[in-house]
Amino acid sequence: MRRAFLAVLALAAALIAAAAPAQAQNRFWLVNASGVTIQEAYVSPSRLSNWGPDILGATVLPAGQQVWVTPNFGDCILDVRVRYANGAEDTRMGVNACRLSRIVFGGGAGASIGGAGATISPAPVGNPSFTFVNQSGATIRELYVSLSSDRNWGPDRLGANVLSPGQSVSISLPAIGVCTVDMRVVYMNGASAERRGVETCSITGYGWR
């Protein structure tokens, strides 16, 4: 009888273990190889349109240092954004954090997102062109992107089109040694927003939220 009871307990324990969700494997090292202090860092699931709180809180991430990131959600596909002390920003979109061990910001052409069989390299150094992704949750009626060295916005990048939430558009910019761009969007309700001095030579995609 006792042996049968123990067998039942063992079976129940096995069933509970099988039903329990696997522990999230989306933890990683955030490495600052940029040469500039990272003032803020944000990590969010790619399925969401908001970044959430600054994961560094009251601290910063000096150049050459790293911090262990443990997201409070189980998603594998993440977006990561950092803001440097000089105001520039850098973003990694759609990173599979369950297949890597570190995300490196900066470091020139050698910088990468690496892990178990996964390596994602940023855009070539000196090329400010990128893909603009509308993650704001609102339709964008007009989009202006220019190098920070330019004195005017230039033409509306959307022309007669609009950019719905989740859609993207390729932004082609001249590679003349300028790596920061200014962006301005106008929504369907007439509201507008701007971001200036965004560094795009080391990224391939920028999510507007």
Side-chain angles (χ1 to χ4, degrees), residues 25-30 42-47 51 71 73-81 91-105 112-115 118-121 135 203-205 209:
Q25 299 297 316
N26 59 358
R27 296 163 293 177
F28 59 90
W29 286 104
L30 177 62
Y42 302 89
V43 178
S44 72
S46 292
R47 59 184 171 81
W51 283 106
F73 45 82
D75 296 57
C76 285
I77 308 302
L78 311 179
D79 297 339
V80 184
R81 171 178 290 176
T91 307
R92 303 285 190 268
M93 308 296 295
V95 178
N96 188 342
C98 291
R99 298 187 60 190
L100 55 82
S101 59
R102 61 192 176 91
I103 298 179
V104 181
F105 280 88
S112 65
I113 301 173
T119 300
I120 304 174
S121 298
Q135 294 187 330
I203 63 174
T204 55
R209 303 193 184 199

Side-chain angles (χ1 to χ4, degrees), residues 153-166:
W153 286 110
D156 174 13
R157 298 277 177 166
L158 300 180
N161 301 314
V162 297
L163 197 65
S164 300

